[in-house]
Amino acid sequence: MILHPSRNAIIAAALFALSLTAAQSVRAQSQQQPQQQQTPPAKSGQAPAAQPGQQAPAEAPKVDPEEEKAYKAFYDANTPQQADARIKMGEDFVAKYPKSKYAEVVYARLMQDYFNKQQLPKMYDAADKALALNPDDVSVLVLEGWVIPHNIDPNSMDSERLLNKAEAQEKHALELLPNLPKPATMTDDQFAKAKNDALSQAHSGLGLIDFRKQDYANSVTELQQGEKLASVPDPTDFYVMGIELQALKRYGDAVDAFQKCAQIPGGLADRCRQKAEEAKKQAAAQPAPPK
């Protein structure tokens, strides 16, 4: 199924912006020392006494300067031109520090970079590792749940399991997105736009999943909801809507969907123009509804 390049770039940017929430949280936690409990001064030769009902204060976690330096270099390499270098740094980081508190953030960013390069097996592997560390990572849930139905082989023995996995991911993301905290580096408008793009992508993913399951009515509803929120329209969504509306014999609505698809430059434009003409003929031949 065709993936629209400009839409993909918007999606990746929006999800990366939202993933900064997790990254900033991890970095903030790493800079905080555990709060020490106040205890009475010890007498000479005695260990400090703990207050009644309190445990002895935990030791501050040890900080590896080399790990911090490696993560900072990875985190700061955030331009498209640095993608290859960032992938190398990320792969080296998780290989050297597999139990790092930063591992989930690194895997989530690697997932997005692998997607941008269409290295899908690596993308799925990084996504699974990120979600094993944090099942609530919205950036991972939304993107993997959207990519699976676009690229799945419907004849595969594993297709049903993968579609169910993608559906669960998108539904979980839709539960999390309304309560997602705003990163300190984003304005209210930037955050609202990023959330809307993520919501749009989640509904688009669910629509494609329903399409693969031949649940056309629910698919149309999800795709329409996704397009209402999208900052950049997706011709694939309009094309799929048109096909489904034809199957539902809603030919007038199919014409509208195909025409919207045809107005978006890309590989689907000519096909959508042809399908729009086909749907017009079907609409004209359709018997008038009873009065």
Side-chain angles (χ1 to χ4, degrees), residues 27-270:
R27 295 193 75 181
Q29 291 172 7
S30 72
Q31 294 168 359
Q32 295 175 351
Q33 299 296 329
Q35 187 174 2
Q36 300 293 324
Q37 301 288 345
Q38 296 295 323
T39 58
K43 295 181 180 179
S44 178
Q46 291 182 345
Q51 293 181 349
Q54 292 182 338
Q55 296 180 344
E59 292 185 5
K62 294 181 179 179
V63 175
D64 182 342
E66 290 302 314
E67 177 185 346
E68 295 290 327
K69 181 180 177 181
Y71 175 71
K72 185 178 186 303
F74 171 84
Y75 181 86
D76 290 343
N78 56 15
T79 67
Q81 294 77 15
Q82 295 171 295
D84 290 337
R86 183 171 58 246
I87 288 173
K88 179 67 166 61
M89 286 189 287
E91 290 173 342
D92 290 347
F93 184 91
V94 293
K96 188 172 183 179
Y97 306 107
K99 297 186 182 300
S100 171
K101 58 182 173 287
Y102 302 122
E104 181 256 325
V105 177
V106 175
Y107 279 125
R109 190 65 182 101
L110 282 172
M111 176 208 68
Q112 294 169 21
D113 284 329
Y114 291 141
F115 165 70
N116 290 338
K117 289 185 171 293
Q118 290 296 286
Q119 297 177 357
L120 298 186
K122 287 186 174 183
M123 177 202 149
Y124 294 141
D125 181 63
D128 288 345
K129 288 176 178 175
L131 291 176
L133 295 168
N134 177 14
D136 294 338
D137 189 319
V138 168
S139 67
V140 178
L141 292 167
V142 171
L143 187 55
E144 187 178 32
W146 182 82
V147 171
I148 286 173
H150 276 82
N151 294 276
I152 198 168
D153 178 1
N155 298 316
S156 167
M157 296 288 290
D158 210 24
S159 61
E160 183 177 0
R161 181 190 69 82
L162 289 172
L163 288 175
N164 289 338
K165 172 186 177 182
E167 182 177 24
Q169 289 175 327
E170 298 294 24
K171 287 183 176 179
H172 187 41
L174 289 174
E175 293 172 349
L176 295 169
L177 278 164
N179 300 314
L180 198 68
K182 183 177 77 70
T185 55
M186 297 180 74
T187 67
D188 290 343
D189 287 345
Q190 289 171 333
F191 184 54
K193 180 180 178 299
K195 279 179 66 174
N196 280 341
D197 280 330
L199 288 165
S200 169
Q201 193 65 10
H203 285 296
S204 172
L206 287 173
L208 266 293
I209 292 162
D210 286 335
F211 170 70
R212 294 293 193 186
K213 294 182 175 183
Q214 299 185 350
D215 184 355
Y216 296 153
N218 280 328
S219 175
V220 168
T221 298
E222 291 289 351
L223 293 172
Q224 288 175 335
Q225 194 165 354
E227 285 305 322
K228 287 178 183 177
L229 295 165
S231 59
V232 175
D234 187 344
T236 300
D237 284 359
F238 286 124
Y239 178 75
V240 170
M241 269 192 271
I243 296 294
E244 292 173 321
L245 289 164
Q246 280 182 306
L248 295 169
K249 298 185 178 180
R250 293 168 53 185
Y251 301 120
D253 292 334
V255 171
D256 181 63
F258 285 130
Q259 287 178 336
K260 288 178 179 176
C261 169
Q263 292 168 4
I264 303 170
L268 281 173
D270 288 341

